[in-house]
Amino acid sequence: MATTTGPVRGLAQGGLRHWRGIPYATTPRLRRPGPVEHWRDLRDATRFGPASPQVQPITRVPMDEDCLSINVIAPPVAEKLPVMVFIHGGAYTTGSSREIPHLGEALVRQGNIVFVNFNYRLGALGYLDFSRYGFDSNLGLRDQVAALEWVRDNIRAFGGDPDNVTVFGESAGGNAITTLLAVPAATGLFARAIVESAAPEAVYPSALTEQWGADFVEILREVAKDQTTPDADLLLQARPATLVKAASLMRQRTPDAVPGTIAFCPVIDGDYLPERPVDAAAAGRSHAVPLIIGTNAREGTLFRGQLDLLATTRPRIRAVVAKTEREARNALYAEYRALPPRRSAAQFGGDYSFWYPSIRFAEGHSQHAPVHFYRFDVSTRALKYAGLEATHGIELFAVFDLVDTPVGRAAGILGGRAVFKRAAERMRSRWLGFARDGSVGEDWVGYSADRRATLIIAEHDRVELDPHRTRRIAWQAFVPHL
């Protein structure tokens, strides 16, 4: 298979064609992605590329700073097929394009599409702002644009249609897409977008992100036991493992130091990302492509223990509502008092980070492009007993048909698996129809600020108008603390 940088050889597996680990850009440290050196000989593309340096996941994977590679899956015969490009999540500090086995294969088989996913830089190497030290900002975001440019320039050779590309992503991958919708450099790189469980407001001005960069340097000095090397040199010379350790410490400290934020994030630098994506959508300056966006019913329940990142403790909640007037604050609190304290806090944190910002983005974007909003309610008995229910990330088991994986079977061991599988089939059909030609099913009407039609994905799908209306109205009076 020919690409713009040289020929590659993939493999046939499971009745599909796979190409893995194709380099799409280079990674000069703390600089924007660079061009790939061309090659003449046939390059092996049968193995995944290394992941961006991070805390080693349970499924151990090779990691390397030179991590910008892309993967393609296509049917046996493919010509000008719809393309679905997935951006993985992981709070911009973990994850890779290889962490879930067989990812994308079910979509290719069921929908006759071309599936693409890729690695991008994470943690300090991709999502901290070191511009005060003379380095480029928004490196992970620039990587994502470079990957989409590779798709534009190469996907036709793999049987895909470069004019029919749908980007989709979950969590940080969803935030990446709401952000890309406001990035001028991403203009024309995709025709449609699907955003699952994003935190669209987790994008901050440079005054804050530069301070986080400086805070990281101090943590790095602590980890490296180095108080003398100049800041810029320290960032360039530190081993990837040292950067990862410092990033882990910063990720643990930020939720209490600056509640309601995620330090590893895109930065509003006034150039590459000119403004908040939610503001761009409201003003009609986001890319006017059709959009599916939504959240899960219990987003916040996952975030406990090592994932304790949300505004779910009393001090954190008080901090995020500090600028909201007392009457409005009390009305907001009242929306959660009917729940047990732990569940109430988890619901508040999930709504603050995911649900209400997604509504705001949908409101704005729907003024100049078609928007369909959903809520994923499906769970299993085991997940309910564990206090998770339809938690953050659970819809990925539906979208990627992962119900029969070991984790999927464990989640369904006490019952509810058959209902989940049927809902998953319907969800995949809608996602694939949207990627093919924008269709989502006649029952799912578009979202607008006056109707707020929301598809509830449950045992039996239904459309509700303005679900949780009083809660949404209470959030409308919320004043951000940053």
Side-chain angles (χ1 to χ4, degrees):
M1 188 68 64
T3 74
T4 53
T5 48
V8 295
R9 181 186 65 246
L11 75 159
Q13 188 177 76
L16 302 175
R17 295 181 296 157
H18 300 253
W19 296 266
R20 299 167 178 162
I22 304 171
Y24 69 86
T26 57
T27 56
R29 182 176 284 194
L30 303 184
R31 296 294 183 191
R32 65 193 64 195
V36 171
E37 186 175 341
H38 286 57
W39 61 86
R40 291 185 178 179
D41 296 335
L42 191 63
R43 185 186 185 106
D44 179 68
T46 62
R47 292 178 292 180
F48 291 105
S52 178
Q54 59 193 274
V55 174
Q56 185 65 254
I58 297 174
T59 53
R60 300 183 68 84
V61 299
M63 294 184 289
D64 195 281
E65 203 166 331
D66 183 15
C67 63
L68 300 187
S69 65
I70 201 163
N71 317 304
V72 181
I73 307 176
V77 178
E79 184 177 357
K80 212 173 183 182
L81 296 181
V83 180
M84 296 186 74
V85 180
F86 181 68
I87 304 180
H88 73 78
Y92 289 134
T93 54
T94 63
S96 75
S97 64
R98 64 181 295 170
E99 63 184 330
I100 302 176
H102 309 293
L103 193 72
E105 292 180 9
L107 292 173
V108 177
R109 289 194 181 97
Q110 181 177 335
N112 200 37
I113 57 102
V114 174
F115 176 80
V116 177
N117 68 345
F118 59 90
N119 293 334
Y120 55 93
R121 282 175 284 185
L122 302 171
L125 293 170
Y127 281 93
L128 281 179
D129 180 6
F130 299 122
S131 55
R132 68 165 55 179
Y133 307 113
F135 298 115
D136 297 327
S137 61
N138 282 316
L139 298 178
L141 187 60
R142 294 175 191 268
D143 295 346
Q144 291 158 3
V145 170
L148 290 171
E149 290 173 338
W150 185 96
V151 171
R152 177 197 62 197
D153 297 340
N154 292 280
I155 204 64
R156 192 183 301 276
F158 295 83
D161 182 355
D163 296 320
N164 193 12
V165 173
T166 297
V167 290
F168 70 123
E170 183 268 346
S171 193
N175 172 277
I177 293 168
T178 55
T179 304
L180 286 165
L181 284 165
V183 171
T187 302
L189 294 179
F190 50 93
R192 284 176 286 276
I194 302 173
V195 174
E196 302 170 22
S197 299
E201 291 279 30
V203 178
Y204 305 103
S206 57
L208 177 58
T209 59
E210 283 189 21
Q211 183 57 54
W212 277 332
D215 293 345
F216 177 84
V217 169
E218 292 308 308
I219 296 173
L220 182 59
R221 292 193 182 283
E222 174 188 329
V223 171
K225 297 180 173 55
D226 184 339
Q227 299 298 322
T228 58
T229 302
D231 295 338
D233 292 340
L234 183 68
L235 289 166
L236 289 174
Q237 295 169 12
R239 294 184 301 113
T242 305
L243 293 172
V244 168
K245 186 174 182 180
S248 296
L249 287 173
M250 187 161 187
R251 177 173 155 169
Q252 294 169 21
R253 297 173 184 177
T254 303
D256 292 309
V258 190
T261 66
I262 299 173
F264 299 91
C265 62
V267 51
I268 305 162
D269 57 10
D271 177 24
Y272 202 76
L273 179 58
E275 59 186 322
R276 284 182 183 272
V278 169
D279 294 341
R285 289 189 289 269
S286 56
H287 303 311
V289 301
L291 171 69
I292 289 176
I293 185 170
T295 58
N296 299 345
R298 299 282 182 253
E299 291 283 357
T301 57
L302 182 70
F303 295 90
R304 53 176 91 159
Q306 291 187 336
L307 295 176
D308 181 20
L309 304 174
L310 304 185
T312 53
T313 66
R314 290 187 181 219
R316 294 179 192 176
I317 292 172
R318 282 198 297 266
V320 301
V321 300
K323 292 186 178 180
T324 301
E325 293 184 2
R326 179 178 295 181
E327 184 176 344
R329 192 164 60 234
N330 289 338
L332 191 56
Y333 288 158
E335 289 296 317
Y336 300 90
R337 286 192 183 125
L339 299 173
R342 181 173 175 178
R343 184 173 173 183
S344 172
Q347 192 68 43
F348 179 94
D351 288 354
Y352 167 80
S353 291
F354 304 107
W355 176 66
Y356 185 62
S358 294
I359 284 178
R360 288 199 62 211
F361 195 94
E363 285 176 353
H365 197 72
S366 67
Q367 297 178 59
H368 60 105
V371 172
H372 288 83
F373 202 90
Y374 75 90
R375 190 182 78 208
F376 189 84
D377 282 14
V378 193
S379 185
T380 65
R381 289 178 186 171
L383 291 172
K384 291 173 183 175
Y385 289 149
L388 293 171
E389 301 180 78
T391 193
H392 188 72
I394 193 66
E395 89 292 347
L396 291 176
F397 285 80
V399 172
F400 289 112
D401 193 17
L402 303 175
V403 182
D404 291 323
T405 63
V407 174
R409 287 195 295 270
I413 195 168
L414 299 180
R417 192 159 162 266
V419 169
F420 196 102
K421 288 191 78 167
R422 288 193 295 269
E425 176 70 25
R426 296 193 304 271
M427 189 176 190
R428 278 196 306 282
S429 293
R430 294 183 192 274
W431 266 222
L432 288 164
F434 183 74
R436 183 174 55 252
D437 56 20
S439 61
V440 295
E442 293 182 3
D443 59 328
W444 191 3
V445 296
Y447 188 89
S448 62
D450 58 339
R451 296 193 69 202
R452 302 184 184 277
T454 301
L455 176 72
I456 309 300
I457 301 173
E459 181 174 358
H460 303 286
D461 292 355
R462 66 187 186 276
V463 173
E464 292 186 9
L465 301 182
D466 204 5
H468 297 308
R469 179 176 181 273
T470 60
R471 189 185 301 175
R472 176 188 59 77
I473 292 171
W475 276 104
Q476 283 182 333
F478 166 75
V479 178
H481 64 305
L482 294 173

